[in-house]
Amino acid sequence: MPGYTESKDQLQARLRRVEGQVRGLQRLVDEDTYCIDVLTQISAVDAALRRVAVALLDDHLRHCVRDAAGDETRGDALITEATAAIERLLKS
Amino acid sequence: MPGYTESKDQLQARLRRVEGQVRGLQRLVDEDTYCIDVLTQISAVDAALRRVAVALLDDHLRHCVRDAAGDETRGDALITEATAAIERLLKS
Amino acid sequence: MPGYTESKDQLQARLRRVEGQVRGLQRLVDEDTYCIDVLTQISAVDAALRRVAVALLDDHLRHCVRDAAGDETRGDALITEATAAIERLLKS
Amino acid sequence: MPGYTESKDQLQARLRRVEGQVRGLQRLVDEDTYCIDVLTQISAVDAALRRVAVALLDDHLRHCVRDAAGDETRGDALITEATAAIERLLKS
């Protein structure tokens, strides 16, 4: 079971907003908006997308702590996986 | 005139792909995909979005160099603006 | 007790290497090294520093999982704090 | 000739401060400072290092605009190189 079940609706709402923002970017390009203004808007979409990732990671880590519940081997495996995800996010 | 005119179609194609990727994220959440796999996919979308920004910035800087063409005051104003955009991107 | 006790020597060795890399940057500037080459080296130092952060975070999350050990309230408080640290790192 | 000659002293002063901050990190680890507080400080050092990169890039781009001065081939080569440096910085 994924860690985000509780906030699934909220997560989908955020992703729909990001989708709308990406369509907004296409509109800006279509209207020949000045490059720098498109770039500013890309930075905003990027920040929104990363906030989704952080929210998802937060939820997941909470579930890791509960699921492991003293089982050190399981806890370690979950954290190894979570750290790798954080690393991918930092490099993206 | 924006700096991206030449590659406008290519830029729009990239943005449509990013839009598709964001819709893909919604599908993953809908199907209760494991958190870490959603995060990996968010990192991929994020990287794609940042590549669009870099392509746009590259185009823009080329135009700055041409537009300024020895006019130091104009060149400086353009670069101040471009650097600020790079800074926003690094912090997003 | 900090989470990094076990690997304190390793952590200090990494930080000393980063310090050496920053001194290396000063040497490059002193020798009038070409800008782009200095920038490439800054990216390398930056990546090394972020790897230290990820290692530290990994250690810390493992300790969170052990310390919380089924205590949901304590686990939640630790994760709220860890997520905020991840967020600061993503924005730096 | 590197683009940063004019502000070389300022650049060196910034790098010495970053070096001091990295030594500060070693002190924090030595004193068993709480993980999250070390991570907060790493984010600060990272942000300082990235500001150095942005300052260097800003200087460099100004010089590119001047050096190219209407020579489109030279301008293009300089920007290709600068964009690659920005990309490396974004991924570090």
Side-chain angles (χ1 to χ4, degrees):
Chain A
M1 207 188 68
Y4 54 80
T5 318
E6 284 162 292
S7 53
K8 199 169 160 174
D9 288 348
Q10 203 186 335
L11 189 57
Q12 291 287 34
R14 273 165 180 264
L15 286 172
R16 273 194 303 271
R17 265 199 300 279
V18 172
E19 189 194 332
Q21 285 180 301
V22 177
R23 265 201 302 271
L25 288 174
Q26 293 169 54
R27 216 156 30 236
L28 290 180
V29 170
D30 205 53
E31 295 164 356
D32 294 325
T33 306
Y34 185 52
C35 235
I36 296 292
D37 297 327
V38 181
L39 279 169
T40 303
Q41 192 49 26
I42 291 184
S43 295
V45 183
D46 195 45
L49 194 59
R50 279 166 170 256
R51 274 194 300 272
V52 175
V54 168
L56 205 54
L57 192 64
D58 182 84
D59 252 22
H60 181 68
L61 289 173
R62 268 165 230 284
H63 278 79
C64 288
V65 168
R66 281 171 217 181
D67 284 8
D71 178 346
E72 207 167 295
T73 312
R74 172 137 179 77
D76 274 355
L78 287 169
I79 296 308
T80 299
E81 196 186 52
T83 302
I86 294 167
E87 213 162 5
R88 280 192 295 274
L89 199 62
L90 277 168
K91 277 183 193 157
S92 72
Chain B
M1 205 189 71
Y4 53 83
T5 318
E6 285 161 290
S7 54
K8 197 169 161 174
D9 288 348
Q10 202 186 338
L11 188 58
Q12 291 288 32
R14 274 165 180 265
L15 286 172
R16 271 194 303 272
R17 265 201 301 278
V18 172
E19 189 196 331
Q21 285 179 301
V22 176
R23 264 201 302 273
L25 288 174
Q26 293 169 55
R27 215 157 31 236
L28 290 181
V29 170
D30 206 52
E31 295 163 357
D32 294 325
T33 306
Y34 185 51
C35 235
I36 296 293
D37 297 328
V38 181
L39 279 169
T40 303
Q41 193 49 26
I42 291 183
S43 295
V45 183
D46 195 46
L49 194 59
R50 280 168 170 254
R51 274 194 299 273
V52 175
V54 168
L56 205 54
L57 192 64
D58 183 84
D59 252 22
H60 181 68
L61 290 172
R62 267 166 232 285
H63 278 80
C64 288
V65 168
R66 281 172 217 179
D67 284 9
D71 178 344
E72 207 167 298
T73 312
R74 172 136 179 78
D76 274 354
L78 286 169
I79 296 307
T80 299
E81 196 185 53
T83 303
I86 294 167
E87 212 162 6
R88 277 191 296 273
L89 199 62
L90 277 169
K91 278 183 191 157
S92 72
Chain C
M1 207 189 70
Y4 53 83
T5 318
E6 284 162 291
S7 54
K8 198 169 160 174
D9 287 349
Q10 204 187 335
L11 188 57
Q12 291 287 34
R14 273 166 180 264
L15 287 173
R16 271 194 304 271
R17 266 199 300 278
V18 172
E19 189 195 330
Q21 284 179 301
V22 176
R23 264 200 303 272
L25 288 174
Q26 293 169 53
R27 216 158 29 237
L28 291 180
V29 170
D30 205 53
E31 294 162 358
D32 294 325
T33 306
Y34 185 51
C35 235
I36 295 293
D37 298 327
V38 181
L39 279 168
T40 303
Q41 192 51 26
I42 291 183
S43 295
V45 182
D46 196 45
L49 195 59
R50 279 167 170 256
R51 275 195 300 273
V52 174
V54 169
L56 205 54
L57 193 63
D58 184 84
D59 251 22
H60 182 68
L61 289 173
R62 268 167 230 284
H63 277 80
C64 287
V65 169
R66 281 172 217 180
D67 285 9
D71 178 345
E72 207 167 295
T73 312
R74 172 136 179 78
D76 274 355
L78 286 170
I79 296 307
T80 299
E81 196 185 53
T83 303
I86 294 166
E87 212 163 6
R88 278 192 295 274
L89 200 62
L90 277 168
K91 278 182 190 158
S92 72
Chain D
M1 205 190 70
Y4 52 82
T5 318
E6 285 162 291
S7 53
K8 198 169 161 175
D9 287 348
Q10 203 188 336
L11 188 56
Q12 291 287 33
R14 273 166 179 265
L15 286 172
R16 271 194 303 272
R17 264 200 301 278
V18 172
E19 189 196 331
Q21 285 179 301
V22 177
R23 265 202 301 272
L25 288 175
Q26 293 169 54
R27 219 160 25 237
L28 289 181
V29 170
D30 205 52
E31 295 164 355
D32 294 325
T33 306
Y34 185 51
C35 235
I36 296 292
D37 297 328
V38 180
L39 279 169
T40 303
Q41 192 50 25
I42 290 182
S43 295
V45 182
D46 195 46
L49 194 59
R50 281 167 169 254
R51 275 195 299 273
V52 174
V54 168
L56 205 54
L57 192 64
D58 183 84
D59 252 23
H60 181 69
L61 290 172
R62 268 166 230 284
H63 277 80
C64 288
V65 168
R66 281 173 217 179
D67 283 9
D71 177 345
E72 207 166 296
T73 311
R74 172 137 179 78
D76 274 354
L78 286 170
I79 296 307
T80 299
E81 195 185 53
T83 302
I86 294 167
E87 212 162 6
R88 277 192 295 275
L89 199 61
L90 276 168
K91 277 182 191 158
S92 70

